Amino acid sequence: ATEGKEDSSATENNPSRVAPGKAGERSSILYSAGQFFFEYLVVVSLKKMPDGRYEPKITYQFPKRENLLKGQKEEEERLLQAIPLFCFPDGNNWAPVTDFTSETFSFVLTNVDGSRKIGYCRRLLPSGRGVRLPEVFCIISCLGCFGLFSKILDEVEKRRQISMAVIYPFMQGLRESPFPAPGKTVTIKSFIPESGTELIELTRPVDAHLEHVEFQALLQRLSPQLILNIFASAVLERRLIFLAEEL
């Protein structure tokens, strides 16, 4: 899978995916140092239904929020309802496996008021024996910085192979740390059993707009004429949908 790629879709009342570059531009203007790293960490797992199909469901949410106002609660419910299908758009094709290469990808949810939340995802196979189903760890943030969150997901995956319980102190420490200004670094302390306390340095790039864009893949798969047509369509603000067999 190619990191950071997604298709585009939109409905009138539901969140939709938009190009990750646009979200980065918005985030760089509206969000600065002092913001939370993320709003939620959710774990999405595949649950077998009575008819034999697998359906993605949120099996963990951190933090769990209480005492929300009515409007805030409705917004949270819409967000949480949208996440599973974006984490497993190919959920109907899954079956338990013994081996799986982790995948990293992102999506952007756009609310009716134009506000955007980015989902940074790591799809991985939990440690264990025998056949098992992959699960997705999804970090929801208003901040556009794919490379930085990929590194955070590396740490999440490393801890997942030890125990779920090791993940949450790390995420709590991350949530309590302010998001660094462009070019700056923040250090997170995290304890891992049998390894001791680790210092994790997270550096925000000066410009994160195109840090995850793989131009080589684009040029290998599309002809120059088609690339020009896509560019022209984007400039004219036409809707673009890319179809692929793999994530």
Side-chain angles (χ1 to χ4, degrees):
T2 301
E3 291 187 351
K5 286 193 173 181
E6 67 233 49
D7 62 2
S8 299
S9 61
T11 57
E12 192 168 324
N13 296 317
N14 295 324
S16 62
R17 282 189 241 194
V18 298
K22 290 183 179 179
E25 290 165 10
R26 181 182 179 91
S27 297
S28 65
I29 296 172
L30 296 183
Y31 299 96
S32 59
Q35 296 288 324
F36 281 127
F37 262 89
F38 68 97
E39 293 190 20
Y40 295 102
L41 167 71
V42 297
V43 180
V44 179
S45 305
L46 291 169
K47 298 297 181 182
K48 194 168 188 177
M49 309 305 290
D51 60 3
R53 295 182 303 107
Y54 287 99
E55 189 171 308
K57 298 284 187 181
I58 292 178
T59 53
Y60 187 85
Q61 170 195 334
F62 171 79
K64 293 184 178 180
R65 293 181 175 172
E66 300 176 352
N67 303 321
L68 293 175
L69 298 176
K70 182 179 179 181
Q72 294 173 323
K73 189 173 183 179
E74 290 173 352
E75 181 182 355
E76 181 186 58
E77 288 175 353
R78 284 197 300 270
L79 173 69
L80 296 177
Q81 287 174 359
I83 290 173
L85 287 177
F86 284 93
C87 290
F88 279 104
D90 49 356
N92 291 336
N93 301 326
W94 281 102
V97 295
T98 57
D99 186 58
F100 180 77
T101 302
S102 298
E103 299 174 308
T104 307
F105 58 98
S106 67
F107 59 85
V108 181
L109 299 174
T110 305
N111 210 340
V112 291
D113 63 358
S115 61
R116 294 168 178 168
K117 297 182 188 295
I118 307 172
Y120 299 97
C121 301
R122 177 66 55 86
R123 185 186 286 177
L124 56 88
L125 191 66
S127 60
R129 295 182 179 180
V131 294
R132 351 189 250 293
L133 287 165
E135 60 191 12
V136 173
F137 284 80
C138 178
I139 300 173
I140 300 295
S141 176
C142 295
L143 303 158
C145 203
F146 187 89
L148 183 60
F149 281 94
S150 293
K151 186 173 181 180
I152 292 170
L153 288 168
D154 289 342
E155 297 294 333
V156 170
E157 181 170 6
K158 182 169 69 175
R159 285 158 177 75
R160 177 64 182 99
Q161 303 312 325
I162 301 172
S163 168
M164 288 285 285
V166 185
I167 296 173
Y168 308 122
F170 167 67
M171 296 304 293
Q172 180 62 42
L174 186 66
R175 186 167 170 78
E176 293 172 353
S177 300
F179 195 69
K184 301 299 182 181
T185 300
V186 65
T187 301
I188 310 293
K189 286 185 178 181
S190 179
F191 176 79
I192 298 182
E194 299 183 6
S195 299
T197 299
E198 291 187 355
L199 297 178
I200 302 162
E201 292 189 345
L202 300 171
T203 302
R204 181 180 177 185
V206 175
D207 185 353
H209 289 171
L210 299 176
E211 63 168 349
H212 64 279
V213 178
E214 188 182 345
F215 291 104
Q216 184 179 5
L218 178 72
L219 296 172
Q220 286 176 342
R221 287 165 175 77
L222 303 178
S223 66
Q225 184 59 48
L226 189 52
I227 291 173
L228 288 173
N229 290 342
I230 292 170
F231 179 76
S233 298
V235 171
L236 293 170
E237 298 187 357
R238 292 172 178 165
R239 183 169 296 165
L240 301 173
I241 300 176
F242 294 87
L243 303 180
E245 292 183 359
E246 296 181 1
L247 184 64

